Amino acid sequence: MMLGTTMVSSCILLLSLGVRAKARCRMMGQLRVRLRSRMFRSRASFSVGAAGGGMGGDDSGDGIETREARAMQLYDYAADKSVITREEISNKDGDSAILSQIRRETADKFPGAVHMMLGPLEASLLRILVAISGAQKILEIGTFTGYSTVSMLSALPCNGSILSIDKDNRCQAVAQRALDRHTFGNKVELICSDAIDALNSIPQHSRFDFVFIDADKRRYWDYYDTVLDRDLINPGGLIVVDNVLFRGMVGSEVRIKTQEEVDKMAVDERKTYQRHTKIAQALDDFNVRVAADPRTESLLLPVRDGLTIARRTETR
């Protein structure tokens, strides 16, 4: 009798556990559905980072600000776990010291343009892409102060080289000082010129394995198209483009402010908003055209301010 009671109790307990487990599974499934729904409803909070700016549009009343704050925390967390951040923190010599120098000098000389410098997470990704692609010849369109240049330089093979273009000689002077300190700085050639002029002056049949674009956002398609049209990249080569999500302002679902709202802005704020809107429209057009381009296969990553990786597929 006692044994039978024990067996019945055990069966009841097992049934109870099974019911609870099923209920827990249902709850988790419902939670996942709600989370997916919220993720799809939210705008591109992924485009804000430690060195990024705010978002476009009206974010009030939907909890988006909380998600943006969390996105920033996750960006910082990911950046802290990435190779370049770890090296900058732990090392005193070599590439890490040079990258730290570039960051400090950029903040000192161009305090209003620090956000233009590549973040450590993207710089780490860039370095790894260069390394795993086995790229020997790199073309950089947009040197700025050289942070991305040095990040890629550390992944180059012994016979590798970088050609880096920028029209601002003040910024390139910072990059040149950093390269002068680098053991392999002589592998980099800096060209101070308009990018399209420089691209058109590169001898025909001078192909690169890897192209990084981070210059005038409104001319991104011109840079990308010229590289492919002039056959400046090898089949299978990579074209990496930064800032393609531009503050989350790209895409038809982004709310554009009405003219009445724009008119109420302060003069400087209005000019900034109008400039950002034009850049976002140009980048949206660029993203659409790259996605449809049969010359490459591409992937747009929501890393910080957006990063496109395109691989040339056509041969000539």
Side-chain angles (χ1 to χ4, degrees):
M1 181 69 180
M2 194 170 169
L3 179 61
T5 304
T6 303
M7 290 178 65
V8 170
S9 300
S10 299
C11 288
I12 292 172
L13 177 61
L14 288 171
L15 285 170
S16 173
L17 289 171
V19 169
R20 289 177 190 170
K22 287 180 180 178
R24 191 176 296 112
C25 287
R26 282 197 299 273
M27 287 173 61
M28 291 302 294
Q30 292 167 358
L31 178 61
R32 280 193 289 270
V33 169
R34 286 200 300 271
L35 284 172
R36 286 195 198 104
S37 175
R38 289 175 62 187
M39 286 169 66
F40 284 119
R41 283 203 311 271
S42 70
R43 290 204 307 269
S45 59
F46 39 70
S47 71
V48 231
M55 307 285 292
D58 181 8
D59 296 337
S60 60
D62 191 29
I64 290 177
E65 289 181 3
T66 302
R67 289 196 289 277
E68 287 182 0
R70 181 57 180 151
M72 291 174 71
Q73 291 172 350
L74 289 172
Y75 175 87
D76 290 341
Y77 177 85
D80 286 345
K81 303 299 178 289
S82 300
V83 59
I84 285 180
T85 305
R86 294 201 310 271
E87 288 183 356
E88 281 199 57
I89 291 172
S90 62
N91 293 348
K92 302 297 182 184
D93 303 312
D95 288 7
S96 59
I98 294 171
L99 289 171
S100 296
Q101 172 205 336
I102 293 172
R103 191 175 291 282
R104 287 192 302 270
E105 193 168 351
T106 303
D108 180 54
K109 295 186 182 301
F110 310 103
V114 174
H115 65 281
M116 292 172 58
M117 189 166 49
L118 208 64
L121 182 61
E122 301 78 43
S124 297
L125 176 57
L126 202 58
R127 180 199 290 190
I128 289 172
L129 286 173
V130 170
I132 63 178
S133 67
Q136 295 183 358
K137 291 184 64 180
I138 295 176
L139 172 64
E140 180 178 41
I141 304 172
T143 315
F144 191 44
T145 52
Y147 195 90
S148 53
T149 316
V150 173
S151 299
M152 294 187 289
L153 179 58
S154 61
L156 274 183
C158 295
N159 58 343
S161 63
I162 298 176
L163 178 65
S164 186
I165 305 165
D166 203 293
K167 64 180 181 181
D168 192 327
N169 58 1
R170 299 171 305 154
C171 295
Q172 279 202 338
V174 176
Q176 188 61 65
R177 281 192 288 274
L179 292 170
D180 289 342
R181 289 185 56 198
H182 198 288
T183 306
F184 302 110
N186 60 348
K187 292 183 178 183
V188 180
E189 179 184 357
L190 299 181
I191 295 180
C192 188
S193 168
D194 173 80
I196 295 297
D197 291 343
L199 292 175
N200 285 328
S201 68
I202 295 174
Q204 202 74 29
H205 309 302
S206 294
R207 283 179 170 180
F208 296 86
D209 307 304
F210 192 101
V211 178
F212 179 55
I213 302 175
D214 187 12
D216 185 347
K217 316 305 172 197
R218 290 164 296 189
R219 301 178 72 191
Y220 267 13
W221 177 258
D222 295 334
Y223 305 146
Y224 168 94
D225 189 53
T226 301
V227 165
L228 289 165
D229 189 56
R230 293 205 64 239
D231 200 23
L232 295 178
I233 186 163
N234 282 312
L238 297 181
I239 302 175
V240 179
V241 191
D242 195 23
N243 302 117
V244 291
L245 294 179
F246 194 69
R247 302 168 178 261
M249 293 177 68
V250 296
S252 58
E253 73 281 0
V254 174
R255 179 183 177 278
I256 303 299
K257 292 184 184 295
T258 64
Q259 188 59 48
E260 183 181 356
E261 290 174 316
V262 173
D263 290 340
K264 289 179 180 178
M265 294 178 178
V267 175
D268 289 346
E269 183 186 4
R270 186 187 312 132
K271 287 181 179 178
T272 299
Y273 176 77
Q274 291 171 338
R275 178 169 57 86
H276 285 175
T277 301
K278 288 179 181 178
I279 292 171
Q281 290 169 345
L283 286 171
D284 191 38
D285 178 67
F286 170 78
N287 293 336
V288 170
R289 295 173 81 174
V290 170
D293 189 356
R295 298 172 296 181
T296 63
E297 55 182 11
S298 62
L299 168 69
L300 198 164
L301 293 173
V303 177
R304 193 185 176 218
D305 210 24
L307 199 74
T308 286
I309 302 173
R311 187 179 75 89
R312 181 180 174 184
T313 53
E314 67 162 5
T315 57
R316 293 193 177 186

